[in-house]
Amino acid sequence: GGIVGITMQGCTISGCYSTATLTGNFTNSEGYYTESNPADWPCDTIGGIVGARFDGNLTVTDCWFDGKIVVNSLQAAVGGIVGYTDDQLGSGTVKNCMVTTTDMEVKDGNTCWVAYALSGTVENCYWPNDTKYGPSPLASGEGTAVTDFTSADVLAGLKNNAGAGVEWVAGINHPTFSWDSRNIPADYTAVNDAIASAEAIDGSLYANYGDVEA
């Protein structure tokens, strides 16, 4: 997982993002699993925020992933936010999250933009407008496929559904959190004002003004 490997006993994750490169390499090369059918071996579960929910309830809200997922495993369950969750010993919920990367590899068809979730809830999430994966195995109505993550509609949707203590703002290539100076455009207002003032000066009043312009 880009933030958490697995969750147990119940967990809530909010206001996080990851740009990590995550790689699944399980091949059973050491022969630990001896079943004759590789389909009976445990598979890698890879998620941009959470690798897998093992037991207890998991809620992931107001998170985004813009990293890369590489699958070298025999098989893997992959999700841009949550790698794997089901209805055994609890459930998973993903709300108001965003996957902006398209750099995710499929393995045996078990890859989804948001979550490889065999049960649970996915609400108001955003993912790339690319048909190679679905948002999750759940029913429709989970969110929106997006062509332009800088659109006002995406930011408004995230802001209107944000959890307590989370403030979404416009970012460089997509919305992010108000504290995330790394992904928020710098304010050049003062710089632009200074340039405008300098360009308004009458250079003929000064000696060697060409040096100043250079």
Side-chain angles (χ1 to χ4, degrees):
I3 301 291
V4 177
I6 63 169
T7 64
M8 303 177 68
Q9 307 297 320
C11 187
T12 297
I13 298 168
S14 176
C16 298
Y17 76 82
S18 175
T19 59
T21 295
L22 309 170
T23 305
N25 286 319
F26 173 69
T27 62
N28 199 35
S29 59
E30 296 179 353
Y32 182 82
Y33 298 103
T34 59
E35 293 86 346
S36 58
N37 184 0
D40 294 330
W41 301 342
C43 65
D44 274 339
T45 58
I46 310 168
I49 301 297
V50 178
R53 182 204 63 81
F54 273 14
D55 67 34
N57 294 331
L58 166 66
T59 298
V60 182
T61 180
D62 296 292
C63 292
W64 61 264
F65 177 63
D66 190 33
K68 179 179 181 179
I69 296 178
V70 179
V71 182
N72 300 322
S73 313
L74 291 174
Q75 55 186 341
V78 176
I81 300 296
V82 176
Y84 180 82
T85 182
D86 55 29
D87 60 357
Q88 305 297 309
L89 303 176
S91 65
T93 299
V94 182
K95 294 183 178 180
N96 216 46
C97 291
M98 181 175 58
V99 178
T100 59
T101 182
T102 58
D103 205 351
M104 292 165 45
E105 294 185 12
V106 66
K107 191 72 170 181
D108 299 330
N110 295 336
T111 296
C112 296
W113 287 121
V114 177
Y116 190 73
L118 301 183
S119 70
T121 303
V122 176
E123 294 180 358
N124 196 60
C125 290
Y126 298 87
W127 59 86
N129 188 18
D130 188 321
T131 58
K132 65 180 179 178
Y133 312 130
S136 81
L138 302 177
S140 59
E142 301 159 333
T144 306
V146 176
T147 300
D148 179 10
F149 283 97
T150 64
S151 73
D153 289 342
V154 174
L155 178 58
L158 292 167
K159 293 182 70 164
N160 292 339
N161 293 278
V166 176
E167 181 183 358
W168 289 91
V169 298
I172 294 174
N173 295 313
H174 51 73
T176 189
F177 310 115
S178 58
W179 52 263
D180 180 24
S181 59
R182 177 188 295 269
N183 291 291
I184 297 175
D187 182 357
Y188 282 90
T189 302
V191 175
N192 293 333
D193 288 346
I195 292 173
S197 296
E199 290 176 340
I201 293 174
D202 183 357
S204 65
L205 301 177
Y206 298 86
N208 301 322
Y209 192 70
D211 294 339
V212 177
E213 291 179 313

